[in-house]
Amino acid sequence: MTAFTFSLPGRVIFGRGSAAATAGLIRPFGPRGLVVHGRTPDRAAPLLAEIADDVLAISCPTEPTLPLLEGALALARNAAPDWIVAIGGGSVIDMGKALAALIPASGSPMDHLEVVGRGLPLTMPPLPVVALPTTAGTGAEATRNAVICLPEHGRKVSLRDDRMLPRIAIVDPALTDHCPRGVTLASGMDALTQVIEPFVSCKATPFTDSLTEPQIGRGLWALRRLMLAEDPLARDAMAYVSLTGGIALANAGLGAVHGLAGVIGGLYPAAHGAICGTLLGPVLAMNARRSSGEAGQRIAQVCRVIADELGSTEAEAPFALSRWAHGAGLPDLAGQGVPASAHDRIAEASLESSSMRGNPVALSMADLRDILSQG
């Protein structure tokens, strides 16, 4: 059997109503805390009311940029928290993990950021993080990195350390109930991508396969259901798919969808999940054309699952997936503000992405340009 290592959050708590236990779970970490929330504190309000003393609340209204991170870091270091709770979407959780890593560290974020920074290892262990996702998409509650956007560089890059895995991940599907339809679609396509890419990744392991393979059909079923009606069972399923995808990608990597999406997200203000959802079908089709052997068999298996759910043929499955997503309201790349004139630049920059190293087959510039033209 293939040898592998596996990394997980210190503790995972899954289930409706589980968020109510948060205050009791953080008390052993110390008296002073930092709560990172989204644009408004609505989702965090019950927790803040319960732990009002010695707690600083910081808003993360957008995907974390370097200026936003630096401003939050200055406030957070002055507060000297013992722990961090991040309650929100993937951007909020990434901000929480980045602050947890950087508050104890000396120097600036650029000392530790990959690609555009110095990429230095952390010299101090991060603060304990408790992550509560309010969308079902990124799986950030189970990953060991934080994605930061640097608009001046036109890139998204990671701050990464094994110790950045949250100490506790609380996945309460009720926090995702009645999430807006567009956010549900985009984040759900991201979750679907994150069980497909680790399954076909050249770094897949038997353990990650056991997580990802059963969730591909479940994720597509649940997302299709949520495009028709609010459904707690489908919300529960999507939350589980998102969690398993986060665990899997942290251990088996991703692929060309995320390799391209990281570049696009650094250049244009498009939602990460929407980018991934638009690229998933074209990347699957290209990988199917270029792969053989075990990689080809895995991609064919994914296509069969999609075909069964959408009522298409295996060969048509990637295109059927794209048609369904766009029919549900997902805009294409042009509709997300990505001009065709940028395709060459995006394709070239994506070749340097760490995500691209997990793709089941090496793709050429011409292949990547073709994918972008279909997105």
Side-chain angles (χ1 to χ4, degrees), residues 225-312:
R225 174 63 185 158
L226 289 169
M227 291 300 97
L228 298 173
E230 182 67 27
D231 183 344
L233 291 177
R235 292 288 183 192
D236 290 359
M238 283 308 307
Y240 187 72
V241 171
S242 181
L243 171 64
T244 56
I247 295 171
L249 75 87
N251 291 278
L254 290 162
V257 173
H258 279 80
L260 290 163
V263 176
I264 294 170
L267 292 169
Y268 302 100
H272 172 75
I275 300 168
C276 290
T278 297
L279 293 174
L280 178 56
V283 168
L284 270 175
M286 182 61 71
N287 281 340
R289 288 201 296 272
R290 296 287 182 258
S291 296
S292 60
E294 183 182 354
Q297 292 169 12
R298 284 175 176 261
I299 294 164
Q301 185 173 346
V302 170
C303 289
R304 284 193 294 273
V305 172
I306 294 170
D308 287 346
E309 182 63 35
L310 296 181
S312 75

Side-chain angles (χ1 to χ4, degrees), residues 18-40:
S18 58
T22 304
L25 291 167
I26 60 179
R27 287 192 183 101
F29 296 135
R32 294 188 306 277
L34 169 64
V35 174
V36 183
H37 58 76
R39 189 177 301 276
T40 72

Side-chain angles (χ1 to χ4, degrees), residues 72-154:
L73 183 59
L75 292 172
R77 281 177 170 163
N78 286 334
D82 299 305
W83 48 263
I84 292 177
V85 169
I87 178 167
S91 296
V92 170
I93 295 174
D94 276 354
M95 174 68 91
K97 290 190 293 185
L99 290 172
L102 294 170
I103 289 169
S106 59
S108 74
M110 289 298 287
D111 290 333
H112 305 286
L113 288 173
E114 297 175 344
V115 184
V116 299
R118 299 175 67 193
L120 297 175
L122 297 174
T123 57
M124 298 290 290
L127 299 177
V129 173
V130 179
L132 294 94
T134 61
T135 62
T138 68
E141 70 274 11
T143 61
R144 51 190 168 192
N145 69 303
V147 179
I148 309 300
C149 184
L150 285 81
E152 67 277 20
H153 293 274

Side-chain angles (χ1 to χ4, degrees), residues 35 42 80 90 107 110 179 201 206 216 278 297 348 350 358:
V35 174
D42 294 352
M110 289 298 287
C179 186
S201 169
I216 297 169
T278 297
Q297 292 169 12
E348 183 174 10
S350 72

